Amino acid sequence: MKHSVLIQTRKWQIMSKNNCNQVIANYQKNLLKNISTWLEILEEMSKNTTDTSGLPKLEVSLRSGRLYAGSVIGLKKSTNETFVMLLEHADLHTKSRIHLIQCEDIAALSFIDPDIYLSIFSKPIVSELELKRKLKVVEDELECILSKPIPVSLSTSITESDRSHVLQMAEGFPEIFKKLTADDISKNLIFEQISDIEIQMDKTAGTILNKNKLICIFAKDSDIFLSRQKEALFYSIEKVL
């Protein structure tokens, strides 16, 4: 009996050590980035939400020894300096504040609840049915903008792991075409030249217009922020028209 307990205890110790090593490896893989990269990642997150209370919290330590805590809601770069805008949420003792911090003065970032930061890099699972349903919503919005139906199809290169990224990019189509059809001349041009859209995945992004079919190629495993990928998609569509 005593021998059995020792074996079980040893197994538990090994499992605990393995789990600990896995967590540390996960932290090293995803969280070990330089300060400027993290500020860009967090600023990108703030662009895609209207609920600032859900943004990750962090502590910013300055070289002077001052410490600020809050969520990144902006980043301003210029030739000579870069500022980060940090929102400090109100609590029982203090009012809400916004701090403008010169990035060159930052000595360290401290992640509050690092597991929340790990979730930034996890891709949500999107089923094939959910993707088709949401693409139908995109088609309806495009029809309202362009005054004609524009089917959006997926090539066979779209895999299960691609669906989340495809959906995020495709949901940018209405905003892109709204910009492209700002005047009647542009709207008529797009009305005549585009009859349907096909989404493909490849190593590099690009756009092709072939016999009234707009082929939009999204990049696999791109390190470029989503807002910049959508901006590049806008210019690539504009270029082929």
Side-chain angles (χ1 to χ4, degrees):
M1 181 68 178
K2 184 177 179 181
H3 183 64
S4 177
V5 171
L6 287 172
I7 291 174
Q8 291 298 326
T9 302
R10 181 57 180 160
K11 285 183 177 178
W12 180 84
Q13 288 174 338
I14 292 172
M15 288 176 64
S16 297
K17 183 177 180 180
N18 289 339
N19 289 339
C20 183
N21 289 341
Q22 186 176 5
V23 169
I24 291 173
N26 210 2
Y27 287 156
Q28 291 171 337
K29 177 185 176 183
N30 293 299
L31 303 189
L32 193 57
K33 305 177 189 298
N34 61 42
I35 289 175
S36 61
T37 298
W38 264 116
L39 295 178
E40 289 181 357
I41 290 172
L42 294 172
E43 189 233 3
E44 176 75 8
M45 287 188 66
S46 72
K47 292 179 181 177
N48 299 313
T49 184
T50 56
D51 180 15
T52 57
S53 65
L55 292 173
K57 311 295 188 301
L58 80 163
E59 292 178 343
V60 176
S61 303
L62 304 188
R63 302 185 193 282
S64 64
R66 291 290 301 274
L67 181 69
Y68 297 93
S71 301
V72 174
I73 59 170
L75 194 63
K76 180 70 174 178
K77 294 183 178 182
S78 66
T79 306
N80 300 321
E81 54 192 2
T82 302
F83 286 93
V84 62
M85 181 179 283
L86 197 71
L87 173 63
E88 181 182 348
H89 297 279
D91 58 27
L92 292 175
H93 308 290
T94 61
K95 293 182 178 181
S96 176
R97 295 175 181 152
I98 289 179
H99 305 286
L100 286 177
I101 302 169
Q102 195 168 24
C103 294
E104 290 74 15
D105 293 336
I106 297 175
L109 298 181
S110 300
F111 303 122
I112 300 173
D113 194 350
D115 286 344
I116 290 177
Y117 285 85
L118 288 180
S119 67
I120 295 172
F121 303 99
S122 62
K123 294 181 180 179
I125 298 172
V126 177
S127 68
E128 187 174 359
L129 181 59
E130 182 184 2
L131 180 57
K132 288 181 178 178
R133 282 174 176 166
K134 292 191 174 179
L135 286 181
K136 181 63 173 64
V137 174
V138 171
E139 290 177 346
D140 293 341
E141 292 177 359
L142 287 176
E143 184 172 359
C144 290
I145 295 168
L146 301 174
S147 302
K148 77 168 186 177
I150 303 286
V152 180
S153 62
L154 304 173
S155 76
T156 55
S157 63
I158 308 297
T159 65
E160 183 178 356
S161 61
D162 295 327
R163 290 175 193 157
S164 173
H165 183 60
V166 165
L167 180 57
Q168 288 179 308
M169 289 291 290
E171 287 180 331
F173 281 144
E175 183 181 353
I176 287 172
F177 278 92
K178 199 169 184 179
K179 290 180 183 177
L180 291 170
T181 56
D183 55 73
D184 289 337
I185 295 176
S186 301
K187 188 171 183 178
N188 291 335
L189 180 66
I190 292 174
F191 185 93
E192 294 171 359
Q193 293 201 24
I194 299 176
S195 59
D196 63 305
I197 298 172
E198 180 180 302
I199 297 173
Q200 298 181 7
M201 294 292 291
D202 210 332
K203 292 180 180 179
T204 56
T207 304
I208 302 167
L209 184 59
N210 183 20
K211 296 179 180 178
N212 298 108
K213 174 178 283 191
L214 184 69
I215 302 172
C216 295
I217 305 167
F218 301 156
K220 285 180 177 285
D221 303 320
S222 176
D223 291 329
I224 303 173
F225 294 129
L226 183 64
S227 62
R228 295 179 189 173
Q229 290 185 63
K230 288 182 178 181
E231 184 180 6
L233 178 61
F234 166 80
Y235 287 115
S236 65
I237 293 175
E238 185 179 48
K239 188 175 180 179
V240 299
L241 292 174

